[in-house]
């Protein structure tokens, strides 16, 4: 598969820039495909060190021994179509055992590369592990498909695999979305408070109003009052975002505010998609925000003048390090 090989090589370079060396470790690690149990206990069978630590996902078609196999990886614009795919393990077998996360075994996110179109779908899994969902996309262009799931197994970590999807038809590149902290959808106005920061978890809060009045009777959707996906402009890195609290926990109110904890993998612009449910309908509000400054300085690379010893402690310098990545 030549295109797949190209994508893998490309994303491997990106992954390296995140310091996500676990992908390589897992790929060449011992025991892959081994039928014989190790002499020691099962801890050697973990899904790979740090497999859940990276804040950015979706840049690779293969990660942690699992592969997203999208077929065919193309659709026609403005036509009802069907997306089919499988998740394969190291041995190439179709995976049929998943853990439920937010009420579903697998969340499928589609986004156009220009970040104008977004879909959050829940495909159906056949017994043999083939997933499928009807889909109709409005415009031609390059899309990214994200499969967000956790394989069965005690040590399995949440994974997001990403694959390219081509949608054919007349194409005109869209303007990138302008920065916006307020979104309107079907008479609802949603405002965003808070700032994503590189490598530091931050709370971000959305406030939902309808016809100017706060909405206080949001309905649970996927085990929360909102479901948030954040994508990085430039490469559509997929951020894991976790809701703060859940319906019925005694402290989480059904609006007007819905809050999340998210970490930006790098300084960049992010597109945020909030799904929320009210009056029986799920709607999506989209925002575009630049990330803020890092709150904790990076370990700074040693400069030209040699320092003795401690190059990796937190720096107290108050100017931003000008080092590039
Ligand atoms: Cu979902």
């Amino acid at each position: 598969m030549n295109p797949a090989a190209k994508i893998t090589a490309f994303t491997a370079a990106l992954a390296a820039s995140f310091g996500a060396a676990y992908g390589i470790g897992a790929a060449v690690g011992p025991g892959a495909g081994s039928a014989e149990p190790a002499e020691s206990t099962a801890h050697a069978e973990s899904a790979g060190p740090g497999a859940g630590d990276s804040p950015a996902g979706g840049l690779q078609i293969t990660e942690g021994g699992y592969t997203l196999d999208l077929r065919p990886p193309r659709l026609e614009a403005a036509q009802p179509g069907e997306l089919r795919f499988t998740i394969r393990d190291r041995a190439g077998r179709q995976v049929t055992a998943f853990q439920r996360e937010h009420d579903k075994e697998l969340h499928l996110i589609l986004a156009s590369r220009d970040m104008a179109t977004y879909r959050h779908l829940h495909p159906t899994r056949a017994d043999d592990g083939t997933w499928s969902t009807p889909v109709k996309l409005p415009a031609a262009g390059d899309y990214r498909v994200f499969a967000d799931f956790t394989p069965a197994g005690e040590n399995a970590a949440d994974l997001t695999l990403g694959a390219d999807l081509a949608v054919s038809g007349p194409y005109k590149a869209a303007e990138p979305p302008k920065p916006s902290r307020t979104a309107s959808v079907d008479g609802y106005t949603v405002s965003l408070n808070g700032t994503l920061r590189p490598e530091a978890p931050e709370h971000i809060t959305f406030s939902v109003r309808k016809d100017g009045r706060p909405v206080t009777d949001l309905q649970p959707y996927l085990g929360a009052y909102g479901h948030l996906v954040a994508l990085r402009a430039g490469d559509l890195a997929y951020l894991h975002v976790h809701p703060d609290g859940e319906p019925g926990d005694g402290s989480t109110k059904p609006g007007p505010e819905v809050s999340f904890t998210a970490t930006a993998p790098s300084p960049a612009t992010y597109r945020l998609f909030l799904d929320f449910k009210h009056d029986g309908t799920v709607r999506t509000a989209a925002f575009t925000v630049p990330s803020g400054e890092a709150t904790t300085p990076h370990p700074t690379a040693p400069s030209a003048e040699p320092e003795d010893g401690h190059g990796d402690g937190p720096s107290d310098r108050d100017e931003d390090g000008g080092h590039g990545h």
Side-chain angles (χ1 to χ4, degrees):
M1 294 273 277
N2 212 12
K6 274 185 199 164
I7 291 161
T8 303
F10 174 60
T11 54
L14 290 170
S17 74
F18 291 138
Y22 62 84
I24 295 159
V28 301
S34 166
E36 293 186 20
E39 278 182 37
S40 62
T41 48
H43 68 268
E45 290 288 299
S46 85
D53 294 347
S54 172
L59 293 171
Q60 302 184 88
I61 206 164
T62 295
E63 193 175 329
Y66 294 91
T67 297
L68 170 58
D69 184 3
L70 191 63
R71 53 190 183 184
R74 67 190 70 86
L75 289 172
E76 293 282 330
Q79 304 285 328
E82 187 184 51
L83 208 56
R84 295 173 76 83
F85 61 96
T86 58
I87 306 297
R88 295 181 184 278
D89 66 11
R90 287 181 202 282
R93 294 176 297 234
Q94 299 188 176
V95 177
T96 57
F98 297 83
Q99 296 179 37
R100 280 181 175 269
E101 298 278 344
H102 302 301
D103 290 349
K104 301 287 179 184
E105 285 188 342
L106 184 144
H107 301 265
L108 193 78
I109 306 297
L110 272 85
S112 55
R113 282 276 180 194
D114 61 15
M115 302 196 295
T117 301
Y118 175 85
R119 295 282 188 279
H120 180 163
L121 305 171
H122 298 113
T124 306
R125 177 172 59 79
D127 288 343
D128 73 349
T130 302
W131 294 88
S132 61
T133 179
V135 64
K136 183 177 170 186
L137 295 169
D142 291 329
Y143 284 69
R144 195 75 175 157
V145 176
F146 303 96
D148 184 342
F149 65 96
T150 304
E154 265 179 50
N155 296 309
D158 185 22
L159 280 176
T160 305
L161 305 178
D164 285 341
L165 171 70
V167 178
S168 54
Y171 176 68
K172 186 170 187 299
E175 289 283 316
K178 294 190 168 54
S180 62
R181 288 184 160 266
T182 304
S184 297
V185 52
D186 293 351
Y188 294 81
T189 303
V190 185
S191 50
L192 161 65
N193 281 294
T195 303
L196 286 169
R197 290 187 195 282
E199 294 165 28
E202 286 286 330
H203 295 284
I204 53 177
T205 301
F206 297 89
S207 186
V208 184
R209 294 177 161 257
K210 186 180 187 191
D211 302 328
R213 287 191 301 276
V215 173
T216 56
D217 57 346
L218 290 173
Q219 296 165 307
Y221 172 57
L222 303 170
Y225 288 120
H227 193 97
L228 180 66
V229 164
L231 301 176
R232 179 169 57 190
D235 64 2
L236 300 198
Y238 180 103
L239 276 63
H240 291 274
V241 186
H242 302 284
D244 297 333
E246 56 189 44
D249 66 3
S251 61
T252 303
K253 297 195 174 73
E257 313 223 297
V258 187
S259 67
F260 298 85
T261 301
T263 306
S266 69
T269 295
Y270 293 86
R271 183 86 166 148
L272 275 54
F273 300 94
L274 174 73
D275 294 331
F276 63 97
K277 187 173 181 181
H278 190 242
D279 282 347
T281 302
V282 177
R283 297 178 173 86
T284 303
F287 307 82
T288 304
V289 290
S291 69
E293 300 289 308
T295 49
T296 51
H298 284 270
T300 310
S303 55
E305 72 244 53
E307 282 278 341
D308 40 347
H310 51 282
D312 56 355
S315 164
D316 286 332
R317 299 186 321 154
D318 54 4
E319 68 178 294
D320 275 332
H323 64 288
H325 287 281

